[in-house]
Amino acid sequence: MAMLSPLPVRNGVNATRLRLPGSGPWPTVADYLLERFGHVDPAGILRRFHDGEIVGLGGQPLDAGTPLGRHDFIWYYRSLPEEEPIPFQARILHQDEHLIAVDKPHFLPTTPGGRFIQQSALVRLRNQTGIDELVPMHRLDRATAGVILFAVNPQTRGAYQSLFERREIRKGYQAVVPLAPGAGLETGKVLQAGDIIAERSPAQLRELIESLPLDFANRMTKVKGQLRSIVQDGEPNARTRISLAALGRSAGHFSGLPVALLDLDPLTGKTHQLRVHLASLGLGIINDAFYPRLWDLAPDDYDRPLQLLAKSIAFTDPLSGQARSFTSQQQLLEAPPAA
């Protein structure tokens, strides 16, 4: 069972839990924290002790003289960084006593972390609804837009989370891929066991598109210490069904470039699976900063979002037994105009 925080959610953000060493060269908890975190804000650490904002199990406040070894865990509120507002809003598609379905925009992270705390879908939604118990039941990459489900009621959360564990949630994605070279685009290159797959020719791309639908599988694993995945030799553990939704020319930043809008059905859930699979096929998603080539870190370019959308989620409700589905109302900017 998860250890419950004795501190309530504040401004949409949970208190941070820290495990303390049982012993060491620090006479007090304050001495330990000052050595570990004092380079960041020593005055702020001492202020938290003075104000009773560092507590142990059961909510017992610690003071600057509390000996080390008296508490195994402490909870406290982090100092929040100054954040540049992300100029896009998530839209609530559905809300009831158990679930909230949200249509998340590109660039907005699902959960707080790093330089994004208030500028995350979870914290924004908690502040918007006043429901501190909200938790996401799955996640989307910050770069990916689309439908996310949040659990409202802790008592029924497990019934919905078990659907994900049993793979009884049906997810549909869409992606836009280039069918010809363009400025700032690379197709057909993806990290594979240290090597690079050769770029496909236009004729090979056309042959691949005309062969859709395609049931594609390979073996994927995360790169240790990185946020990327690679393709390796071995028994496939990642599978995606890919089909063609539309052919045409881009209507966005790459206006006039021949592109394909693809429907993607991930049958497994490996990290970056859809992005790696398409790049492996020579169809790297437009504006993908990880695949086929890792971009240098740069400020977000809001005019060039990753052309990947979590279009829909469908499942049988474990409480009512009814079929339920939620569909994003967003459209990918580089998709060809509808016929």
Side-chain angles (χ1 to χ4, degrees), residues 320-333:
S320 68
Q322 296 179 336
R324 307 188 74 176
S325 63
F326 305 104
T327 302
S328 172
Q329 298 179 8
Q330 301 179 72
Q331 301 294 324
L332 293 169
L333 296 177

Side-chain angles (χ1 to χ4, degrees), residues 206-318:
R206 178 171 294 280
E207 180 182 352
L208 178 61
I209 289 294
E210 291 174 349
S211 73
L212 297 176
L214 173 70
D215 198 332
F216 184 72
N218 60 18
R219 183 164 191 82
M220 287 178 51
T221 185
K222 284 192 68 176
V223 181
K224 187 175 181 179
Q226 296 185 24
L227 296 177
R228 303 183 81 206
S229 291
I230 60 173
V231 179
Q232 293 182 319
D233 294 334
E235 186 71 20
N237 63 359
R239 181 180 167 204
T240 303
R241 187 173 295 119
I242 305 168
S243 56
L244 179 63
L247 282 174
R249 295 190 176 274
S250 166
H253 180 89
F254 294 98
S255 178
L257 183 77
V259 297
L261 176 65
L262 303 179
D263 287 326
L264 308 172
D265 180 12
L267 303 180
T268 54
K270 296 296 181 181
T271 300
H272 292 173
Q273 175 177 315
L274 302 178
R275 300 161 73 171
V276 171
H277 276 182
L278 290 177
S280 297
L281 291 167
L283 298 169
I285 301 173
I286 291 179
N287 298 332
D288 193 334
F290 279 69
Y291 310 97
R293 177 180 60 86
L294 183 63
W295 293 5
D296 294 331
L297 183 63
D300 290 328
D301 185 345
Y302 293 138
D303 292 328
R304 295 186 57 182
L306 174 69
Q307 293 301 280
L308 179 62
L309 175 67
K311 187 67 175 178
S312 64
I313 287 181
F315 57 94
T316 299
D317 192 291

Side-chain angles (χ1 to χ4, degrees), residues 91-126:
R91 178 171 185 171
I92 295 178
L93 301 173
H94 170 86
Q95 181 175 351
D96 61 32
E97 61 183 321
H98 304 292
L99 290 175
I100 295 181
V102 169
D103 201 357
K104 184 188 83 70
H106 295 283
F107 302 104
L108 187 70
T110 300
T111 55
R115 59 193 177 99
F116 301 103
I117 306 297
Q118 292 295 322
Q119 300 301 310
S120 64
L122 175 61
V123 173
R124 281 187 178 184
L125 196 58
R126 281 177 173 174

Side-chain angles (χ1 to χ4, degrees), residues 112-157:
R115 59 193 177 99
F116 301 103
I117 306 297
Q118 292 295 322
Q119 300 301 310
S120 64
L122 175 61
V123 173
R124 281 187 178 184
L125 196 58
R126 281 177 173 174
N127 289 332
Q128 178 182 349
T129 63
I131 304 173
D132 290 342
E133 295 80 13
L134 278 179
V135 295
M137 288 190 285
H138 58 113
R139 299 188 184 190
L140 290 179
D141 293 338
R142 189 170 83 89
T144 305
V147 182
I148 308 179
L149 297 180
F150 290 82
V152 174
N153 186 342
Q155 303 303 315
T156 59
R157 180 188 307 160

